């Protein structure tokens, strides 16, 4: 089945979709400092890649997939001290995502999933709240297509062990901001936006953001990342980035399939 960009469709085309076999995917990123070598939109690029890779897998299973425009403005308090970062209150994200989920439920879609690549704890918590509120109301009512069933909201949180263990060693170490993991994905997706001359000169910064957060640090500088990167960007390769995107797509597709076919076997 096809993958559609919601923003490119007409409303009549959306009305014509088989809502109960249609899932929507919302990529979620940020405009946030990512070292001296990656663009501020790094998490948006990663989230969109995850969404597309997941959508391809779902389409191959016979589902229709609607890709929503990415959420690009997010709480980003850890990076707020760096030039260019946009940091908004987490309540704003919860309200927008919650409203979007309710819109999608009213249209009668089977599922809506968030493909999130921005792991600032404030953002992850804001997304969790929006998804939790939607699902707490039980299966949302069928919408204008008048078909039965309700919409489930799905958020595979990559910071949870179940999903994190599928990702790279650097990601699991917590030194996972603008390092080898994220740089590899941007090299695969948007090599034109990577300053490879700078990237190759960056010394490894193996400090764990997860440990820093546990210790009460609230900014990248306080966590030991005065250049807004953690991990080993100089080791990044496009090949690794392509492999990570495939894994991210598999995680997204599995989470959705589990939610809509609880007795099925995810592939
Ligand atoms: Zn990032």
């Amino acid at each position: 089945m096809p993958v559609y960009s919601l923003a490119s469709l007409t409303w009549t085309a959306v009305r014509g979709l088989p809502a109960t076999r249609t899932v929507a995917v919302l990529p979620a990123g940020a405009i946030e400092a990512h070292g001296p070598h990656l663009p501020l939109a790094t998490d948006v690029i990663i989230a969109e890649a995850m969404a597309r890779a997941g959508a391809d897998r779902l389409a191959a299973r016979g589902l229709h997939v609607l890709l929503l425009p990415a959420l690009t403005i997010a709480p980003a308090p850890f990076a707020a001290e760096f030039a260019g970062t946009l940091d908004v209150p987490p309540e704003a994200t919860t309200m927008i995502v919650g409203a979007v989920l309710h819109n999608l439920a009213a249209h009668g879609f089977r599922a809506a999933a968030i493909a999130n690549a921005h792991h600032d704890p404030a953002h992850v918590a804001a997304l969790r709240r929006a998804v939790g509120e939607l699902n707490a109301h039980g299966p949302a009512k069928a919408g204008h297509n008048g078909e039965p069933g309700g919409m489930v909201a799905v958020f595979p949180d990559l910071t949870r062990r179940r999903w994190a263990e599928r990702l790279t060693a650097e990601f699991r170490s917590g030194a996972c901001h603008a390092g080898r993991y994220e740089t590899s994905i941007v090299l695969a997706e948007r090599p034109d936006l990577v300053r490879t001359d700078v990237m190759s000169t960056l010394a490894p910064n193996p400090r764990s953001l997860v440990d820093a957060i546990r210790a009460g640090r609230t900014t990248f500088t306080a966590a030991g990342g005065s250049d807004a990167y953690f991990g080993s960007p100089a080791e990044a390769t496009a090949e690794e980035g392509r492999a990570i995107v495939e894994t991210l797509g598999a995680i997204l597709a599995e989470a959705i399939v589990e939610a809509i076919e609880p007795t099925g076997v995810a592939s």
Side-chain angles (χ1 to χ4, degrees):
M1 291 298 145
V3 175
Y4 310 93
S5 162
L6 176 65
S8 299
L9 296 178
T10 61
W11 76 269
T12 52
V14 177
R15 184 182 58 184
L17 292 173
T20 58
R21 295 293 294 164
T22 299
V23 300
V25 178
L26 174 65
I31 300 298
E32 171 184 69
H34 273 80
H37 64 300
L38 290 179
L40 292 160
T42 288
D43 291 347
V44 178
I45 293 166
I46 297 171
E48 288 181 329
M50 178 182 186
R52 277 198 314 274
D56 288 343
R57 286 166 182 263
L58 294 163
R61 295 181 64 99
L63 290 162
H64 295 254
V65 187
L66 279 179
L67 292 177
L68 271 60
L71 200 63
T72 57
I73 310 289
F78 271 80
E81 61 191 320
F82 294 94
T85 298
L86 303 179
D87 171 35
V88 301
E91 294 79 10
T93 293
T94 299
M95 288 182 74
I96 288 176
V97 173
V100 168
L101 293 175
H102 277 95
N103 294 161
L104 296 168
H107 297 321
F109 299 126
R110 185 70 190 87
I114 298 172
N116 179 47
H118 175 48
H119 306 298
D120 189 303
H123 186 239
V124 172
L127 295 176
R128 269 199 207 131
R129 271 197 297 279
V131 168
E133 282 167 18
L134 187 287
N135 289 336
H137 293 134
K141 292 226 164 56
H144 62 256
N145 286 7
E147 298 177 56
M151 192 190 84
V152 61
V154 182
F155 173 31
D157 176 358
L158 300 180
T159 65
R160 293 282 170 91
R161 181 176 302 155
R162 177 187 174 188
W163 304 120
E165 69 187 13
R166 304 259 296 266
L167 297 170
T168 67
E170 184 193 81
F171 186 91
R172 294 195 306 275
S173 79
C176 54
H177 180 83
R180 173 171 165 169
Y181 170 92
E182 291 194 326
T183 305
S184 291
I185 299 172
V186 183
L187 280 174
E189 292 288 318
R190 288 298 304 270
D192 56 310
L193 295 182
V194 181
R195 292 201 54 189
T196 49
D197 53 334
V198 176
M199 171 193 123
S200 61
T201 67
L202 296 175
N205 176 12
R207 295 177 184 87
S208 166
L209 272 169
V210 175
D211 292 347
I213 290 163
R214 283 204 192 105
R217 309 281 182 261
T218 57
T219 69
F220 284 152
T221 297
S226 57
D227 286 321
Y229 78 89
F230 295 79
S232 302
E235 295 173 9
T237 66
E239 186 184 11
E240 180 165 316
R242 283 188 284 273
I244 295 169
V245 168
E246 283 309 306
T247 303
L248 292 173
I251 288 171
L252 182 66
E254 280 179 37
I256 293 172
V257 169
E258 265 181 26
I260 65 177
E261 300 172 8
T263 56
V265 178
S267 63

